[in-house]
Amino acid sequence: MALSKTSTKAEAGRYGVLIVLSIYCLMPFVWLLVAAFDTNAGLFLETPDSVSLNNFYRVFAEEDGLRWLINSLIVCGGATLIVMLLSGFGGYALSRTNAWWKRPFLYSIILIRVIPPPALIVPLYQVMLALNNGMRWLVLQVVPREHMRDVMQIVGFIDGYLGLILLLATMHLPLALWIMKTYFDSVSPEYEEAAVMDGATFGQRLRRVLLPLAMPGLAASGLFAFIACWDDFLVPLTFVSSPELRMLPIGIFSAFLRANEIDYGLLAAIAIVYTAPAIIAFVLARRFLVQTFGGGLKG
Amino acid sequence: MGTIVLNQVRKSFGGHEVIKGADIRIEDGQFAVFVGPSGCGKSTLLRMIAGLEDISGGEFLLDGKVMNDVSPEQRNIAMVFQSYALYPHMTVAENIGFSLDLKKTPKAEIKRRVGEIAERLQLTPYLNRKPSALSGGQRQRVAIGRAIIKEPSVILFDEPLSNLDAALRVQMRAELQELHRSTGATIIYVTHDQVEAMTLADQIVVLKDGQVMQTNDPIGLYKEPENTFVAQFIGSPKMNLFPAKVESVAGDVVRIRTDAGWPIDLPAIEGLRAGPVQLGIRPESLTLAAPHEPAEIETRTVLSERLGMETYISFETGGEPGIARVPGDHSLPSGTPIRLAVDPSACHIFDNDGRAIRSQSA
């Protein structure tokens, strides 16, 4: 009797601690949500006088919010697509080959993840600058000088979409390759052989057998790549200078730095806009992530 | 039609030769079984016939046509994989109909033929299920359905029963025989299980280290093994092999004395001369002799395994213990003196290289 009483008390105590901790962890998110809809938001959490979309209106109308969002989506979407494509084919090849260089290769690419990006930023900038000069020369051959700037914003390696996309894709490809290689290790080659025996061409095998089987792996590698690009601050900070190419994290940062008085409502609204696509990406990927294919094989 | 001929077929991976010149002929409509220990090359041989592995040397003919460089889908050969390899993202109906769908067969036609196959394999209630919602036996039947819908002339099975439980295996063996009867297709079946080989096959090909050791029907292999490998691989428990010497050849009788000192008189065999040989006696050719009966082998038991209807008696030979399979239940503690009688007509003589020595007439 006494024992059960103390254990109930202890249980209540444990839950109490957990609840306090959870509230502490949740508070910043609650503040973000409340402040984003409060025109007079301050540093401290308070009940807003009225709920309004005014902060969001200002993000898109007064600030360049829409452009930042679109830039982020283009760059991260492009990088994610490249990562998924290359990690899909590359992971498949790495899983199926028995070449002697397989292990050294896998370990050496993961090194790219080990080296902290800020340590590489100067040499990387030099490489990108050289590529950019090369691209500028190439563009000059085909495009009139007055359109030069517009074109370079798309295909440039510095202050251009292409450079950002390729750079981010390169940074996040190694992990995706590892994920896909490990994933394909678990996909029996007998599925493809069965498809060969059924008369499937290479294209049919890829589209109707391999791709559906690879979806959970691709969703995982794509999600990780997208989130990593989306969160990246250093690359857009270093390689973008034109305001037209500015991405969301730099948008928040500049809004935070700009005024003498910090506009908490506006910052919260940008943060919400910044968070939403990441959550949507997660929800989209989750459907495939939880998809488990069992039963095709024996045992 | 599905007559298969392999002429000196070879396969190398890198510098390593895994199939070393196989000569095999399988008649149309036969149920052939490739059997051998793991690593003997039986699955590789099957995959070469399927077209999943290319042939490094020699010829593979199907109905007289060389198939070495014909792509798998044009060979009219179907295969049931060891793992079944059912497409997990497709329903049973989609799995069975996949090959027709790839050929752009009209939807209604696919539906009709899938329906027929499902009816035949008792899969109709499960057509809309995914493979994950099926039992082992049902998955096996889907894999078979996927193979037979193509109406192939040859169906290949790669150890299809290896992961099923004992009861289901017996049932599936019966279903496979029924399938063979109803389709009339040539079947090549790979297994390491000699019981499966004996019960299913019209013709067994015994393989070892990439070489064909012997090809014959099951009883032929059991009664007339050409070498010690086949002799010991077919039959359970395996055949006893005793090192022995031919002591004398006198008229119709050959006297052989094993190294353990047991004298055994056998009917004369052409070409058998005095000298060292190996004497093969199947465990079931040994019987416990009553005290007054003559017996060739006098020894002690090592172990007796009582199965109720019969007893496996391991006995001392001076080397690796021998084994006798005697009817009835016998309680013989380790070390019990026993006398065993040998059936001389069921003895096998092998030379020191392991090749059988037997009369041409036998």
Side-chain angles (χ1 to χ4, degrees):
Chain A
M1 197 63 190
L3 191 73
S4 85
K5 230 178 194 173
T6 43
S7 68
T8 316
K9 257 188 188 169
E11 184 132 309
R14 281 199 289 270
Y15 273 109
V17 171
L18 285 177
I19 289 167
V20 171
L21 278 175
S22 319
I23 291 175
Y24 180 77
C25 294
L26 273 174
M27 253 333 128
F29 299 99
V30 174
W31 177 85
L32 204 62
L33 261 177
V34 173
F37 293 96
D38 183 357
T39 30
N40 296 314
L43 187 53
F44 300 102
L45 183 61
E46 49 196 315
T47 325
D49 302 329
S50 62
V51 174
S52 116
L53 289 174
N54 191 37
N55 289 330
F56 290 96
Y57 172 78
R58 284 168 57 218
V59 171
F60 292 114
E62 293 174 15
E63 303 289 335
D64 248 349
L66 187 62
R67 179 170 279 269
W68 301 339
L69 177 65
I70 289 172
N71 285 340
S72 274
L73 284 175
I74 290 173
V75 170
C76 296
T80 304
L81 272 181
I82 292 177
V83 166
M84 285 171 80
L85 199 71
L86 292 183
S87 70
F89 285 111
Y92 175 81
L94 282 169
S95 166
R96 297 290 189 256
T97 183
N98 285 320
W100 63 268
W101 47 263
K102 177 166 153 173
R103 267 172 186 280
F105 178 78
L106 279 167
Y107 286 118
S108 61
I109 57 167
I110 210 70
L111 270 180
I112 301 179
R113 294 282 304 186
V114 174
I115 301 168
L120 285 177
I121 210 76
V122 176
L124 209 53
Y125 196 88
Q126 287 175 330
V127 171
M128 296 296 273
L129 196 61
L131 286 169
N132 198 51
N133 290 339
M135 183 60 87
R136 178 184 298 276
W137 179 83
L138 211 68
V139 170
L140 267 178
Q141 312 300 309
V142 282
V143 175
R145 194 167 282 274
E146 63 265 31
H147 297 302
M148 183 69 193
R149 198 175 133 79
D150 296 336
V151 174
M152 280 307 284
Q153 280 193 347
I154 294 169
V155 300
F157 282 85
I158 287 187
D159 213 20
Y161 285 128
L162 184 66
L164 284 172
I165 289 173
L166 289 182
L167 190 58
L168 285 171
T170 312
M171 286 170 69
H172 302 302
L173 186 60
L175 179 66
L177 265 175
W178 270 80
I179 293 174
M180 289 313 291
K181 183 258 168 199
T182 315
Y183 185 79
F184 276 120
D185 284 348
S186 70
V187 175
S188 166
E190 286 199 347
Y191 288 125
E192 292 157 71
E193 290 174 350
V196 169
M197 295 305 292
D198 276 344
T201 60
F202 174 75
Q204 286 170 322
R205 289 206 298 277
L206 193 68
R207 196 166 49 81
R208 302 196 52 180
V209 177
L210 262 182
L211 195 62
L213 287 176
M215 272 324 276
L218 281 176
S221 64
L223 179 68
F224 283 125
F226 183 80
I227 300 291
C229 296
W230 196 254
D231 291 355
D232 201 294
F233 182 75
L234 188 67
V235 168
L237 180 72
T238 316
F239 293 93
V240 175
S241 47
S242 323
E244 307 93 271
L245 291 184
R246 190 170 285 175
M247 289 162 63
L248 267 174
I250 309 300
I252 299 186
F253 187 58
S254 61
F256 183 67
L257 288 183
R258 188 185 330 134
N260 301 332
E261 195 184 345
I262 297 171
D263 190 339
Y264 288 106
L266 180 72
L267 284 175
I270 305 176
I272 295 279
V273 171
Y274 184 36
T275 311
I279 292 174
I280 291 169
F282 172 74
V283 171
L284 286 178
R286 200 193 55 147
R287 204 163 65 82
F288 297 105
L289 287 177
V290 296
Q291 194 172 37
T292 48
F293 287 130
L297 303 175
K298 229 181 323 201
Chain B
M1 286 295 285
T3 304
I4 286 175
V5 176
L6 301 180
N7 275 339
Q8 278 298 304
V9 164
R10 290 171 187 278
K11 176 72 189 176
S12 313
F13 289 110
H16 181 59
E17 195 165 52
V18 290
I19 303 287
K20 300 161 183 165
D23 287 310
I24 297 170
R25 182 182 175 88
I26 299 161
E27 299 298 338
D28 181 37
Q30 259 193 338
F31 198 128
V33 174
F34 292 174
V35 68
S38 56
C40 70
K42 54 192 189 297
S43 284
T44 307
L45 206 52
L46 194 78
R47 292 166 58 83
M48 284 157 83
I49 294 171
L52 295 171
E53 301 281 355
D54 51 319
I55 298 170
S56 311
E59 269 185 340
F60 158 42
L61 295 105
L62 179 60
D63 294 328
K65 286 193 281 285
V66 179
M67 287 280 155
N68 287 36
D69 298 320
V70 176
S71 64
E73 69 272 16
Q74 283 163 355
R75 294 186 183 193
N76 197 21
I77 292 176
M79 182 159 173
V80 175
F81 288 86
Q82 181 167 21
S83 66
Y84 308 151
L86 302 178
Y87 310 120
H89 55 291
M90 298 184 197
T91 63
V92 169
E94 286 165 343
N95 262 287
I96 296 176
F98 189 57
S99 60
L100 299 183
D101 191 24
L102 290 174
K103 275 192 265 177
K104 306 263 183 280
T105 311
K107 288 270 183 287
E109 167 78 2
I110 296 178
K111 196 162 183 255
R112 185 183 65 76
R113 282 175 63 186
V114 168
E116 276 174 20
I117 299 277
E119 190 69 45
R120 206 160 124 191
L121 297 169
Q122 295 150 35
L123 285 170
T124 312
Y126 313 109
L127 278 177
N128 292 317
R129 289 202 195 168
K130 294 271 173 71
S132 54
L134 299 178
S135 71
Q138 289 161 348
R139 286 177 200 174
Q140 167 84 77
R141 285 201 283 266
V142 176
I144 292 172
R146 193 168 67 176
I148 62 177
I149 199 163
K150 296 194 287 185
E151 296 171 353
S153 54
V154 180
I155 309 177
L156 310 175
F157 288 89
D158 188 4
E159 306 216 18
L161 306 187
S162 57
N163 286 5
L164 300 181
D165 62 56
L168 197 52
R169 268 152 96 141
V170 174
Q171 185 195 333
M172 288 313 296
R173 285 213 294 259
E175 287 185 22
L176 284 172
Q177 277 170 324
E178 168 57 22
L179 175 85
H180 178 230
R181 197 193 54 74
S182 62
T183 57
T186 308
I187 288 180
I188 304 180
Y189 185 103
V190 159
T191 181
H192 61 270
D193 180 350
Q194 53 102 7
V195 175
E196 240 168 73
M198 294 294 281
T199 51
L200 286 170
D202 297 324
Q203 183 192 354
I204 298 180
V205 179
V206 184
L207 291 152
K208 183 199 174 199
D209 298 335
Q211 282 172 313
V212 177
M213 301 309 286
Q214 190 176 357
T215 305
N216 206 339
D217 62 90
I219 299 305
L221 280 186
Y222 177 81
K223 287 199 167 156
E224 294 180 353
E226 279 174 7
N227 48 58
T228 50
F229 177 78
V230 175
Q232 292 206 303
F233 194 80
I234 302 292
S236 174
K238 69 179 186 183
M239 183 189 279
N240 298 298
L241 279 181
F242 302 118
K245 276 192 185 66
V246 177
E247 254 185 11
S248 61
V249 182
D252 297 351
V253 178
V254 180
R255 164 150 292 203
I256 288 174
R257 191 177 290 276
T258 69
D259 288 6
W262 304 316
I264 292 162
D265 291 333
L266 301 179
I269 297 170
E270 242 174 81
L272 192 61
R273 274 180 286 279
V277 291
Q278 297 183 75
L279 175 68
I281 308 175
R282 289 207 183 273
E284 48 275 33
S285 305
L286 292 168
T287 45
L288 273 177
H292 58 275
E293 283 173 347
E296 288 84 353
I297 296 175
E298 289 188 20
T299 181
R300 287 170 189 278
T301 58
V302 175
L303 177 77
S304 59
E305 295 168 277
R306 299 164 67 190
L307 304 178
M309 56 167 186
E310 57 188 9
T311 309
Y312 295 172
I313 304 166
S314 302
F315 57 89
E316 292 172 5
T317 67
E320 194 186 332
I323 189 160
R325 179 181 180 173
V326 297
D329 181 33
H330 302 275
S331 171
L332 299 164
S334 165
T336 311
I338 51 162
R339 298 170 70 244
L340 294 165
V342 176
D343 174 5
S345 66
C347 285
H348 302 264
I349 307 283
F350 303 95
D351 65 18
N352 266 0
D353 295 329
R355 282 190 298 265
I357 304 171
R358 71 168 73 96
S359 302
Q360 293 306 312
S361 56

